[in-house]
Amino acid sequence: MNVEDVMTTHPVTVHVETTVKEALALLEAHRLTTLPVLDQHGRVCGVVSEADLIRDRLPEDQRHQIIQPQTSRPTPSSLVGDVYTPHAVTVGPHDDVTAAVELLTSSVIKSVPVVDRRGMIVGVLSRSDIVHVLTRADADIEGAVTEMLKAVGHPEWSAEAHDGVVAIEGPGSDRERSLARATALSVTGVVDVRIE
């Protein structure tokens, strides 16, 4: 399964000129934690997170100043370009989704921009996208695998899914078993394949 099979298309993005307030509103409206940041040419140049956007935004409560003398505080940055993290970790649409999942589960990164060869954004892959795939109904998985098996010329093979594990009956030779396995594993929601 490729990243493009499970990514969110039409991602919410910001530019370096977007205000921090606008970026915060986008995070809130879309229930996101991170946004890809695009340069003036529309290429991904970084990401901005909740932490980047809220850092140093709130003034100290003046009631606490009675006890401690007030210290001067710099004016918070107003543009995303002043607070974002440059050099975003990205993946490609044709990358294997398992490698992307490893990245999302072995680090603090919760989502990654998906970019084409020119660095233009084509989607975003998040942990919630993977959760969505893994909760696909078994009946939907069975139907999709059956259609794929027909498409590769084997309508006589049958597929049954249980908790995302697909059991395929029909393939006889090693080559047929390999074809059945590869075909089923290309369907979103399939977590394993057994040939019976």
Side-chain angles (χ1 to χ4, degrees), residues 66-94:
I66 297 169
I67 299 168
Q68 297 176 344
Q70 185 171 356
T71 57
S72 62
R73 176 177 177 264
T75 303
S77 299
S78 61
L79 298 177
V80 166
D82 297 328
V83 298
Y84 79 108
T85 303
H87 312 295
V89 175
T90 63
V91 295
H94 304 295

Side-chain angles (χ1 to χ4, degrees), residues 42-196:
R43 292 186 188 91
V44 174
C45 62
V47 293
V48 67
S49 69
E50 292 170 317
D52 296 329
L53 294 169
I54 67 172
R55 187 176 293 116
D56 300 326
R57 297 299 297 173
L58 296 174
E60 292 180 26
D61 188 325
Q62 294 301 306
R63 293 172 290 186
H64 296 280
Q65 301 304 323
I66 297 169
I67 299 168
Q68 297 176 344
Q70 185 171 356
T71 57
S72 62
R73 176 177 177 264
T75 303
S77 299
S78 61
L79 298 177
V80 166
D82 297 328
V83 298
Y84 79 108
T85 303
H87 312 295
V89 175
T90 63
V91 295
H94 304 295
D95 291 352
D96 188 328
V97 75
T98 57
V101 168
E102 177 64 26
L103 176 66
L104 293 174
T105 58
S106 65
S107 67
V108 296
I109 297 172
K110 295 180 183 178
S111 65
V112 289
V114 183
V115 298
D116 64 16
R117 291 182 198 151
R118 299 171 298 141
M120 305 297 281
I121 192 157
V122 296
V124 169
L125 181 68
S126 68
R127 292 177 184 175
S128 61
D129 291 323
I130 304 305
V131 169
H132 179 72
V133 166
L134 293 175
T135 58
R136 186 176 186 186
D138 285 333
D140 292 343
I141 293 170
E142 280 179 26
V145 171
T146 299
E147 288 303 311
M148 290 289 287
L149 294 173
K150 287 178 185 175
V152 297
H154 291 282
E156 73 281 7
W157 294 350
S158 66
E160 186 176 319
H162 181 70
D163 289 338
V165 178
V166 175
I168 300 176
E169 288 187 15
S173 69
D174 287 344
R175 184 171 184 218
E176 287 178 334
R177 284 195 273 287
S178 179
L179 173 64
R181 174 176 289 286
T183 301
L185 286 173
S186 70
V187 173
T188 57
V190 174
V191 297
D192 198 10
V193 177
R194 291 193 329 261
I195 310 297
E196 299 180 342

Side-chain angles (χ1 to χ4, degrees), residues 14-27:
V14 291
H15 289 81
V16 289
E17 303 88 11
T18 303
T19 67
V20 168
K21 185 85 168 180
E22 290 169 326
L24 286 166
L26 287 170
L27 288 178

